[in-house]
Amino acid sequence: MKVYVPRDAAARALGSDAVAAAFVAAGHRVIRNGSRGMVWLEPLVEIEEDGLRRAYGAVTPADVPGILSGAVESLGPVEDIPFFARQTRLTFARCGLIDPLDLSDYEAHGGLAGLRRALALGPEGIVAEVKASGLRGRGGAGFPTGVKWDTVARAQADRKYIVCNADEGDSGTFADRMIMEGDPFSVIEGMVIAGIAVGATKGFVYIRSEYPDAIDVMTHAVEISRKNKLLGRILQSSHEFDIELRVGAGAYVCGEETSLLNSLEGKRGVVRAKPPLPALEGFMGRPTVVNNVLSLATVPVIFERGAAHYAGFGLGRSRGTMPVQIAGNVARGGLFETAFGMPLGDLVHDIAGGTASGRPVKAVQVGGPLGAYFAPAKFDTPFGYEEFDGQGGLIGHAGVVVFDDSADMRAMARFAMEFCAIESCGKCTPCRIGAVRGVETIDRIAAGDAGAVPLLVDLCETMKHGSLCALGGFTPYPVMSALEQFPEEFGGLREAAA
Amino acid sequence: MPSTAAPHGTPEDPVIARIIADHLGVEGPLLPILHAVQAALGHIPAAAHGPIAEALNITRAELHGVISFYHDFRDRPAGRHVVRICRSEACQAVGGVALSQAVLDKLGLDWHGTTPDGRVTVEPVYCLGLCACGPAAMVDGALKGRATPEDVLAGLEA
Ligand SMILES: Cc1cc2nc3c(=O)[nH]c(=O)nc-3n(C[C@H](O)[C@H](O)[C@H](O)COP(=O)(O)O)c2cc1C
Ligand code: SF4
Ligand code: FES
């Protein structure tokens, strides 16, 4: 019999350590797996007997004797739980299934097959394959990953770098954290393949300090990889690659790639003007691939199954799958990996079961603190880059935060401005000063000065067009979307803001 | 103000010197050094500025600019317990504001404040990645999901 109790941070935050201890006290060896992503059922315990894994949801230490005696009813196999059964798991196929730090378990579930194929294809073949997969950056901007790698591959330099962006600062997102904690070798394998493709021998993973569990798992995974030739001389080939972990220091803007590079270099995390692109002049002025954790963690499965398989999923120019993170006031919150194209409303209602409070959904914010609010009137929008853009929004890192009808949209707009003011890197005035003015203006509106609404609109225009990066440039999205869809909360009539 | 760069000036100096020496081989060593100093000493004392600036060949003004840019670095020790409560949107959607207000009120603090007895510091954090089980908090490094004021305040007496 095998007992799985997640070591994922969300599971631990809901008491999984005490549950694991109870199984150990009862004389069982416990495998600390990652999360299967059904956070409302955490701690989700799985018991494997005769090759069958049965799940038990939201387990407390007091449930453990009953689970062992058969008195507690199982939820059945995870794969049969509707929330899980409806997913297409490519990037997250192994997350929660395997022991995250057991490299042979990783290999037994398809790990390293992609790397072996990539080694056989060689650098040019790798870049062509990533291009053919249609993979776009999962960090927010959606830039084609193969094109970025091609640029770095073609650049001439004495050294090149791969930087894995694990700063995951967007509220409502936790997919990077989950994969680092649940399947860290997939991130490492993706980075190694990127290194071979562009001719880089050194990689950094920049992990936010708010993720101590992910830092811990990744630290061990890197050590294990070095011992087993997944790092160093890669699988006895002629390619060399090593990885160093770096920890952020609590600055949201350091998720922006050039700010991140400054931070890695030991500087203030101020955003750099582009050009030069990091692909040409990145870390220490050398050509650098900066990719999100999910972009890199998706690379191995693209090589394992083939680019055509991956590209076969999706909608329009959004190819493959997206690990959507459903959070906030939601009945069934968690990670739902699905082919692009599912309408937003299906995710919120059918998949996630609406609000946890049982009250009506008022709005959802998609894409983190810089993402727009979508009222239910826009719930038919299919999940895709262009589709959300067309609705004045963005999918970003695919966080969907659900609010019930008690949400105060003016307060949410104010928070967006306040967050921008706190996190601004200070380089441009519209962002640094504008966000402070934005808070003041919304306070005036709150005090009954409806005449301040046009000022807020003007301010948003200025920030949108006068900011160097998306922190200042996109903060107007949540603000304006709240104002346009809920004008009565800003003291105006619905027509006034139209 | 007297220079704090003088060798053997404070009891922390050997610790700081060792941390610097340990990191000089890495590319972009400043953040790793600052993290290590804070981990060892609980904050980044003024006594560390001179040696770090000198070793990395940057001015003290530049160093101060870096330290002050990042929310994580402290210039004075925190309370014996550190409570971090998520202020971000997904936690707000499930009562995060009420949670932080209750905790701050109970302790008589504002954000970033420390109780006069040096017992507890309360800080905001912008997402802990626990957005599907908020409101979220971190108490002395331990994560709490669906946190109540009681959960957060438990164990902070001593
Ligand atoms: C303010 C701001 C914050 C960002 N935060 C992140 C982040 O936490 N993680 C991330 O991968 N990308 C983040 N990005 C996007 C990065 O700048 C960059 O586009 C991305 O890391 C590139 O990787 P990808 O192509 O794989 O998405 C942020 C951008 C901005 C403007
Ligand atoms: S928009 Fe804000 S965060 Fe971005 S570069 Fe300008 S000041 Fe910095
Ligand atoms: S928004 Fe609070 S943990 Fe993510």
Side-chain angles (χ1 to χ4, degrees), chain A residues 410 440-453 456 489-491:
Chain A
R410 192 185 62 219
E440 292 165 3
T441 310
I442 295 172
D443 285 343
R444 275 175 60 187
I445 295 169
D449 181 0
V453 169
L456 182 63
E489 297 188 29
F490 293 76

Side-chain angles (χ1 to χ4, degrees), chain A residues 13 159 161 171-172 174 177 202 208-209 246-250 263 266-269 327-328 365 402 415 418 422-423, chain B residues 27-28 30-31 35 65 69-72 87-90 92-94 125-131 138 143 145-146:
Chain A
R159 271 176 292 154
Y161 296 94
S171 158
F174 43 85
R177 177 184 68 62
K202 175 80 184 274
R208 64 200 301 258
S209 62
R246 288 294 172 85
V247 177
S263 183
K267 300 178 182 148
R268 293 163 64 87
Q365 186 179 28
V402 181
F415 179 79
E418 185 190 359
I422 294 169
E423 299 297 335
Chain B
E27 293 173 287
L30 182 49
L31 257 68
H35 274 304
F69 184 87
Y70 296 98
H71 302 303
D72 279 1
R87 281 195 70 203
S88 284
E89 289 89 342
Q92 290 188 42
V94 285
V125 58
Y126 296 94
C127 194
L128 290 163
L130 304 178
C131 328
M138 187 189 254
L143 294 169
R146 290 186 214 112

Side-chain angles (χ1 to χ4, degrees), chain B residues 99-153:
Chain B
L99 169 69
S100 36
Q101 206 52 58
V103 171
L104 290 168
D105 286 353
K106 178 82 189 176
L107 296 168
L109 295 176
D110 263 329
W111 289 119
H112 303 286
T114 301
T115 53
D117 57 0
R119 190 166 49 95
V120 190
T121 300
V122 183
E123 293 174 337
V125 58
Y126 296 94
C127 194
L128 290 163
L130 304 178
C131 328
C133 56
M138 187 189 254
V139 180
D140 294 332
L143 294 169
K144 313 231 176 245
R146 290 186 214 112
T148 63
E150 294 71 36
D151 294 337
V152 172
L153 293 164

